[in-house]
Amino acid sequence: MKNKSTGSISALAIAAAGILPPAVATAEDYTKYGVVSDLPGTCNYAAIDAMDYSGETLNVITHAIPVIGEPTALHAEQFAELTGAEVNVVHVPFGDLFQRIMIPFQSGQNAYDVLFYASLWIGDFNRFLAPVPEAYTNSSGMSDVTDSFKGVATWNGQMIQYPMDGDRHYLKYRTDVFENPEMQAKFKDATGRDLTVPATWEEYNEVASVFSGFDWDDDGELNYGSAEVAKRDDLMFSAFISRAAPYAKHPDVGGGFFFDLETMEPMINTPGFVRGLELFVEAQKAFPPGGSSFGLGDEIFSFGGGQTLMSYSWDDAFIQAQQEDSRIRNAVGAAPLPGAKEVWNRETGQWDSFEEPNRAPYMTWGWSSAVSKESENQKMAFDFLCFFSNEANTFHDLQIGRFGVNPYRDSHFDSTFWQGLGWDADVADSYVTTLSEMEDSTNRVYDLRVPGVGQFMSSMANGVAEALAGQKSAQEALDGVAKEWSDIVDRIGADRLRDAYANVVRLEDNED
Amino acid sequence: MLKPKHFFLLPALLTLAAIILFPLIFTVRVSFSSWDVYQTGLDFIGGRNYARLFQDTRFWESLLRLSGMSFITVTLQYVLGFALALAVWKKMPGGRVFRVLFLVPMMTTPVVMSVIWRTVFHESLGPANDLLSMIGIGPVPWLSSATGAFISVVIVEVWQWTPFMFLLLLAGLVSLPREPYLAAAIDGASPTRTFWQVTFPLMAPISIGAIIIRLIEASKIMDTVNVMTSGGPGTATETPSYYIYIRGLRDFQVGYSAALSLAYLVLMIITLTIIAKLLMRFLVGKDD
């Protein structure tokens, strides 16, 4: 704290040396900040406490409270108290966040030093961001970040985003139903096969439809099979990518998932994507009433509140289900996203059959952070981000579902940590195993991180929404999307997009 | 010849230029640029944005949808507003209380009310389906079917803006001259005949004004759609304002959304002028 002269002196010395301080052993008690204890690390409380930014100002733009906005405000306040800096935090709703960052960038204003935003916008923002200095890429926290999330933060071989969250889509299901002999018998009667956790999207739809429209948890309310994000402008594009990925991402065919990298021809209307959309349309039969207009919040509430048997998307619904006051706590399990036994091979123009379902884990976009290239306080900005994601803060933030911080470091895939929060061992094991195995997959799918990603995703979401609403067939809808995508490619420029898309393909083809 | 007194106009003229002319001229300039998420600044691409606009079926479909939505909502608002105004026009017990109560929806924030209505129409948890289930109806797909979502938006619009119509029409009613009513009473005209032969014609000018004002406002519907349906399911409730918002602020196609905005402005001016002329001709019997 800045009333200690030693802190100021050491900070000045460090600033003069231009290097980060090593982890400082200290007897200082930092539990008043809500952490159990200060943990060793490059930017732990003691190290940041030793810095002096008195009289300097840091401007931060972030999401609205609570998701990411709340931890930003919390750690900004702590950083200000520890260093003496003035930290101004601006909270912006998600729908306005992109333009609120982009307009100052385009007009050359130095509006914000630190930015929190969706990681898939890197294709648009990269030219305005300061590379993460080596002192921070070599920090203790960064060395623990998984390779895939380092890849997400990297652009043309240079880390320009500061990882502070990890996101992926995976399957969540009710173990109490899947393990209930009565329900197993009911399912076998209906389908002739044993009830298993769905390994393909066809199985997912089948299980969902059998367990839809009756009270399978005896709470007096009807239950349903599946809760999905299906509202057009509410992140539905990510749900569609999850569903289409195993049909369209062939493990033996590289060179692009959304586009053919060589020609920049859209792949979005190829049979793999069409099949994924057809199954998405079919799945609506097992949605709860109004499920076709569910946004992410509805999906979290529906599965996390015990209304539906299965769900897939970000961590939130699972964490909601595992909250202390949840009536379905420890009655849920995590599993990889369903796969496909038939996969479209765009090189041969044929469907290839797989004995074991093809899985294509979707490393979906999450929150990331960065420092503006125009910032005059880059060192303080990176110190703030390093502090935000230090070991003690990260473990603290992971425990609070509404914060929106999810595992992104190897140390987060430790079942005992989650068991310490009251999770049963099998629940914690299924969670960390599902998440960590995605890190090992060689057939992952990433977001379309290119300039104009908002235009591409908006167009795709509209096409998918038209098919879900029955306005068009799956093929017609995606043909329309492909046409729009071609137009966008023409406007932005195929070469510009190819250069950007190569970054995504490198990740998907495991070239980094 | 400029005289010193003319300089007193300067503040007003400067204000006018700052808040009306500059944004309008700047928007025109932007509409001829390719300002986009990847292209910063004001280059010049001629009429390419306007050419693209003519092929943009989603925009034209949203205009058609808006026409239907505006016609339905404004007609309902007019009929209900007139009925309510007539009800409290004559002295009635508690009339003052009703006048205030009728105005409450109009005074609430559209976004806040849309959130509340979205909860009301929530198909699993909302009270609308709960109430309907008590009489054996439902569940109604309020927001997940095209028709349901359209009707839901219409209901919210009518609920929120009927009070505005009520207010204008009531003001018109209280300012009507008494003589025609005395003449009608002497002639023994029934209440119905009095309404059609006296009240309605006398109220025609203010009715036209109220309808046009509401049409202008209805054409800008955006917040209700954004909060309740996001333009869906599919594109079932997508209006031009919401579509322009998506293109401009979500997709960051600044140049193209400027062209859409201007085209929309011109179309609305032409359409509303025609509607006003037609209403004048049929309700008042003259063109001006």
Side-chain angles (χ1 to χ4, degrees):
Chain A
M1 282 138 285
K2 284 288 79 62
N3 52 357
K4 296 184 301 174
S5 59
T6 49
S8 301
I9 294 165
S10 56
L12 286 171
I14 291 157
I19 56 168
L20 279 170
V24 179
T26 177
E28 190 73 54
D29 180 12
Y30 295 103
T31 54
K32 70 170 184 171
Y33 292 109
V35 296
V36 177
S37 63
D38 191 19
L39 298 174
T42 309
C43 296
N44 67 358
Y45 278 81
I48 297 300
D49 196 5
M51 297 178 178
D52 186 1
Y53 286 121
S54 302
E56 296 185 50
T57 303
L58 195 66
N59 292 311
V60 180
I61 185 168
T62 187
H63 187 235
I65 286 173
V67 178
I68 297 300
E70 194 170 340
T72 308
L74 173 68
H75 300 316
E77 193 180 330
Q78 295 165 344
F79 187 81
E81 197 172 330
L82 289 165
T83 66
E86 182 182 345
V87 186
N88 302 318
V89 179
V90 175
H91 296 274
V92 180
F94 188 77
D96 293 333
L97 189 56
F98 181 87
Q99 46 140 336
R100 286 287 297 273
I101 296 174
M102 194 59 167
I103 289 172
F105 275 162
Q106 287 201 344
S107 55
Q109 297 170 28
N110 178 24
Y112 306 106
D113 302 292
V114 175
L115 322 144
F116 289 88
Y117 59 88
S119 61
L120 80 170
W121 296 340
I122 192 173
D124 293 309
F125 291 167
N126 63 83
R127 58 200 161 119
F128 305 108
L129 303 180
V132 180
E134 202 177 327
Y136 301 89
T137 58
N138 292 333
S139 67
S140 58
M142 196 69 82
S143 62
D144 193 26
V145 173
T146 68
D147 288 342
S148 67
F149 289 109
K150 281 181 187 163
V152 165
T154 300
W155 191 260
N156 289 335
Q158 198 169 36
M159 182 177 278
I160 56 170
Q161 290 186 153
Y162 207 104
M164 35 63 68
D165 177 34
D167 287 273
R168 68 291 278 166
H169 277 193
Y170 59 91
L171 175 66
K172 300 124 196 177
Y173 63 98
R174 288 284 294 273
T175 50
D176 56 333
V177 176
F178 275 80
E179 292 164 5
N180 181 338
E182 190 188 333
M183 294 299 151
Q184 290 170 347
K186 183 177 176 62
F187 182 77
K188 187 145 194 172
D189 283 349
T191 65
R193 70 176 183 89
D194 290 333
L195 177 60
T196 53
V197 177
T200 65
W201 285 107
E202 284 87 350
E203 288 181 14
Y204 181 97
N205 282 6
E206 184 181 51
V207 172
S209 68
V210 170
F211 289 98
S212 201
F214 71 100
D215 181 14
W216 38 251
D217 61 359
D218 292 328
D219 67 348
E221 300 283 339
L222 292 180
N223 294 104
Y224 299 89
S226 176
E228 308 185 27
V229 181
K231 191 175 181 183
R232 188 182 72 178
D233 294 332
D234 198 343
L235 314 181
M236 174 260 269
F237 70 88
S238 292
F240 172 61
I241 293 171
S242 277
R243 278 188 162 273
Y247 300 93
K249 179 75 166 66
H250 197 293
D252 303 325
V253 177
F257 170 65
F258 291 109
F259 287 94
D260 181 326
L261 183 63
E262 279 185 24
T263 62
M264 287 310 288
E265 182 190 345
M267 299 285 108
I268 193 69
N269 60 340
T270 53
F273 282 97
V274 174
R275 180 69 184 139
L277 182 50
E278 286 169 348
L279 288 167
F280 198 2
V281 173
E282 180 191 296
Q284 292 180 102
K285 288 184 287 194
F287 287 179
S292 297
S293 61
F294 271 13
L296 181 60
D298 300 304
E299 183 248 6
I300 293 167
F301 192 80
S302 181
F303 179 80
Q307 185 187 34
T308 41
L309 179 70
M310 297 181 294
S311 163
Y312 64 93
S313 77
W314 289 264
D315 274 304
D316 313 76
F318 196 84
I319 302 297
Q320 170 83 13
Q322 283 296 97
Q323 295 288 316
E324 267 183 55
D325 57 351
S326 166
R327 68 185 178 88
I328 60 168
R329 195 178 203 207
N330 291 319
V332 294
L337 283 176
K341 288 193 169 180
E342 299 282 317
V343 184
W344 180 252
N345 185 329
R346 67 178 165 84
E347 284 185 349
T348 63
Q350 305 271 328
W351 286 97
D352 288 346
S353 298
F354 286 70
E355 194 66 34
E356 282 297 312
N358 173 50
R359 308 273 187 170
Y362 174 32
M363 308 300 284
T364 187
W365 64 273
W367 291 100
S368 195
S369 59
V371 172
S372 167
K373 198 187 273 183
E374 297 294 320
S375 169
E376 292 168 359
N377 299 306
Q378 291 193 12
K379 181 172 184 314
M380 178 166 56
F382 280 113
D383 282 338
F384 171 64
L385 291 177
C386 192
F387 169 73
F388 180 104
S389 57
N390 76 21
E391 286 74 1
N393 283 342
T394 303
F395 277 114
H396 170 267
D397 295 349
L398 281 174
Q399 298 175 39
I400 302 173
R402 68 177 185 276
F403 275 20
V405 175
N406 303 124
Y408 64 101
R409 289 178 175 162
D410 289 325
S411 57
H412 299 164
F413 303 124
D414 177 3
S415 176
T416 55
F417 169 72
W418 300 99
Q419 289 176 46
L421 303 180
W423 294 21
D424 283 353
D426 53 348
V427 177
D429 287 346
S430 80
Y431 179 68
V432 298
T433 304
T434 300
L435 267 55
S436 59
E437 282 182 356
M438 290 174 75
E439 299 291 327
D440 301 328
S441 170
T442 55
N443 196 36
R444 288 177 297 213
V445 166
Y446 288 83
D447 286 294
L448 183 61
R449 294 141 42 91
V450 298
V453 59
Q455 297 178 27
F456 286 110
M457 293 301 107
S458 168
S459 163
M460 185 170 82
N462 189 60
V464 173
E466 286 177 323
L468 288 177
Q471 292 175 323
K472 289 180 179 173
S473 71
Q475 185 70 62
E476 286 169 349
L478 293 181
D479 284 346
V481 176
K483 166 75 174 63
E484 280 193 35
W485 280 24
S486 295
D487 292 343
I488 300 170
V489 171
D490 289 343
R491 286 199 302 273
I492 297 181
D495 291 339
R496 190 200 311 256
L497 284 167
R498 187 182 295 104
D499 288 347
Y501 190 47
N503 282 288
V504 183
V505 174
R506 268 199 293 275
L507 289 173
E508 289 177 347
D509 291 354
N510 309 291
E511 290 173 6
D512 282 337
Chain B
M1 172 122 179
L2 275 178
K3 293 181 180 173
K5 65 180 182 183
H6 291 132
F7 286 98
F8 286 103
L9 291 172
L10 207 55
L13 288 174
L14 286 176
T15 307
L16 185 74
I19 65 171
I20 296 180
L21 292 181
F22 173 75
L24 191 62
I25 293 167
F26 185 69
T27 306
V28 172
R29 174 64 189 91
V30 170
S31 74
F32 289 100
S33 77
S34 66
W35 188 352
D36 203 325
V37 70
Y38 57 90
Q39 162 64 41
T40 309
L42 295 175
D43 58 347
F44 185 76
I45 59 165
R48 217 179 297 164
N49 284 329
Y50 290 95
R52 181 181 162 199
L53 182 156
F54 282 104
Q55 297 171 340
D56 191 340
T57 51
R58 202 167 142 191
F59 175 66
W60 297 107
E61 283 171 6
S62 72
L63 267 174
L64 274 179
R65 196 172 299 116
L66 177 73
S67 306
M69 192 180 280
S70 301
F71 177 77
I72 294 168
T73 55
V74 175
T75 303
L76 287 172
Q77 287 162 14
Y78 179 69
V79 172
L80 290 172
F82 212 150
L84 291 172
L86 286 170
V88 299
W89 177 31
K90 305 290 182 187
K91 290 219 181 286
M92 59 177 282
R96 283 175 183 274
V97 176
F98 282 118
R99 286 185 194 188
V100 175
L101 281 180
F102 289 152
L103 295 180
V104 169
M106 188 180 75
M107 293 187 281
T108 57
T109 312
V111 170
V112 173
M113 288 320 301
S114 299
V115 171
I116 292 172
W117 276 101
R118 189 179 64 183
T119 310
V120 169
F121 289 131
H122 195 288
E123 289 161 39
S124 302
L125 310 167
N129 274 352
D130 250 6
L131 292 172
L132 289 173
S133 70
M134 290 176 188
I135 52 172
I137 298 174
V140 176
W142 290 108
L143 301 176
S144 58
S145 74
T147 310
F150 190 89
I151 291 171
S152 302
V153 172
V154 166
I155 288 173
V156 176
E157 277 292 289
V158 170
W159 177 85
Q160 180 131 45
W161 296 114
T162 295
F164 179 81
M165 201 67 98
F166 160 79
L167 191 66
L168 287 188
L169 295 172
L170 183 62
L173 284 171
V174 297
S175 64
L176 292 180
R178 294 186 62 194
E179 292 77 10
Y181 290 94
L182 289 172
I186 292 165
D187 289 345
S190 67
T192 310
R193 189 156 185 196
T194 304
F195 174 78
W196 288 113
Q197 299 291 326
V198 181
T199 309
F200 191 71
L202 287 174
M203 285 290 288
I206 197 159
S207 294
I208 293 167
I211 288 169
I212 293 296
I213 291 171
R214 272 308 306 147
L215 279 174
I216 291 170
E217 288 300 313
S219 71
K220 294 187 286 192
I221 180 172
M222 148 75 200
D223 26 25
T224 309
V225 169
N226 185 18
V227 173
M228 288 187 62
T229 64
S230 293
T235 51
T237 54
E238 189 169 84
T239 59
S241 309
Y242 186 63
Y243 178 63
I244 293 169
Y245 162 75
I246 289 174
R247 288 293 186 231
L249 299 181
R250 289 271 179 89
D251 296 0
F252 214 78
Q253 300 186 48
V254 183
Y256 182 54
S257 63
L260 285 170
S261 303
L262 286 171
Y264 181 50
L265 176 68
V266 171
L267 282 169
M268 291 315 299
I269 290 171
I270 294 171
T271 308
L272 290 170
T273 305
I274 292 170
I275 290 172
K277 291 259 182 199
L278 289 174
L279 286 172
M280 286 296 284
R281 179 173 295 175
F282 290 114
L283 294 183
V284 183
K286 56 181 180 181
D287 282 345
D288 295 316

